[in-house]
Amino acid sequence: MSTDDNRLAGRLRHGAQASPATGILLVARAAVAAAPVAEMAQWAALARQRHPAARVAFGFVGQGAPSVRAALADLRAEGAHEVLIVPLMLPFEPSLRNSLGRMIARWRATDPAPWPSIRLGTGWAPHTAAPSGLLDCLVAAAAGAEPLSVDTAKPEGSLVPAQHHRVLLCAGGPCTQAGALILWQHLRARQDEWKLRQEGAGMMSCRTTCLGPCALAPVMQVWPDGATYGGLDETGTDAVLRGHVLGGQPVDALRYEPTGRKQRLRGEDGPAQ
């Protein structure tokens, strides 16, 4: 741990007032309903009570708003010179460090404005948590527990999707480390913003287990054409959605054909793709 890390940790541990230039970003996996967003807002409010001078925000690495990128943008706009990212996740995935690191590096490359120094805190873990804290969680859970019931009503039936395109985003290990969770959030947001279910031939999207070409992470496929795209970021994802899903033409600059030979991302050292 660096000297700066020790100083920041000491201020937070002992309740000292964080500097107005300090940003605290609480990060969760995903939210597909309003309740998780409201819960994260409550966590952020608690952090502000403890450190009223600090800039506090929250974001999701997967589906849900605000995104980590949007939350970081808000903290930058508020003048934060240092940002501590606090993952509120159980269990804490070590791959999150690589995933966020790569995506933030890409965001920096496309945004020349000054960026704060960013540190990723360790997640909650049994060996770091006080036993009394875990006991409090168990007591609170028991106090709010309700009988578990099962809905036995028969469904009325389901429509078979009519959308022509299926966009598959790999959520395997290498792709997750390369930022697939953040791309999934971006993809789902674009699907809603651009009304991709209805526009053109229509599109549906889903995350999958490993799609195969791990060296091309993060990987996305567009069906029924079977086109494989690799090394994507938000800009590349938008290009695929505009060109292939809406325009009907595969985006050759981002596409990788099945050649029968091992391939690397274009621009990397090694044999030509």
Side-chain angles (χ1 to χ4, degrees):
M1 180 181 289
S2 70
T3 301
D4 288 342
D5 291 338
N6 276 318
R7 289 173 179 170
L8 177 59
R11 293 200 305 270
L12 297 177
R13 182 182 302 113
H14 298 296
Q17 291 301 319
S19 163
T22 299
I24 299 174
L25 176 53
L26 308 179
V27 172
R29 294 186 191 279
V32 295
V37 178
E39 182 177 339
M40 287 298 292
Q42 291 177 346
W43 280 109
L46 288 174
R48 292 189 191 98
Q49 289 177 12
R50 183 67 181 268
H51 298 285
R55 317 295 186 182
V56 180
F58 68 89
F60 298 96
V61 295
Q63 186 176 350
S67 65
V68 170
R69 186 174 190 175
L72 275 175
D74 289 343
L75 291 174
R76 291 172 63 198
E78 293 175 6
H81 293 166
E82 62 175 352
V83 173
L84 172 65
I85 297 179
V86 181
L88 301 182
M89 303 174 183
L90 287 174
F92 176 71
E93 291 286 349
S95 62
L96 180 66
R97 182 176 300 278
N98 289 334
S99 176
L100 281 177
R102 291 184 183 185
M103 295 307 296
I104 290 173
R106 291 179 179 177
W107 299 337
R108 286 180 185 269
T110 59
D111 185 350
W115 279 72
S117 63
I118 299 175
R119 297 179 176 84
L120 175 63
T122 56
W124 185 94
H127 66 274
T128 61
S132 60
L134 176 58
L135 178 59
D136 289 343
C137 290
L138 295 176
V139 171
E146 298 178 354
L148 182 63
S149 60
V150 178
D151 186 0
T152 58
K154 293 183 178 180
E156 296 180 0
S158 301
L159 292 173
V160 175
Q163 287 81 1
H164 179 71
H165 293 291
R166 298 292 186 273
V167 175
L168 312 182
L169 181 65
C170 180
C175 285
T176 296
Q177 290 190 20
L181 281 177
I182 294 172
L183 280 189
W184 173 248
Q185 180 186 56
H186 181 78
L187 173 62
R188 297 289 291 189
R190 283 289 190 252
Q191 182 171 296
D192 292 338
E193 293 168 9
W194 295 356
K195 297 179 172 55
L196 295 177
R197 288 179 181 270
Q198 297 82 31
E199 292 294 327
M203 180 201 96
M204 295 188 70
S205 59
C206 71
R207 288 183 292 177
T208 73
T209 53
C210 183
L211 289 175
C214 299
L216 307 181
V219 174
M220 187 168 73
Q221 291 183 344
V222 178
W223 291 87
D225 303 309
T228 296
Y229 297 98
L232 295 178
D233 56 11
E234 292 98 325
T235 301
T237 300
D238 287 351
V240 172
L241 295 178
R242 287 195 184 97
H244 196 158
V245 174
L246 292 176
Q249 296 297 322
V251 182
D252 291 336
L254 300 171
R255 185 180 183 182
Y256 290 82
E257 297 282 359
T259 63
R261 304 187 309 273
K262 292 183 178 180
Q263 301 182 61
R264 296 181 180 178
L265 289 172
R266 298 183 182 97
E268 290 188 348
D269 295 335
Q273 288 78 31

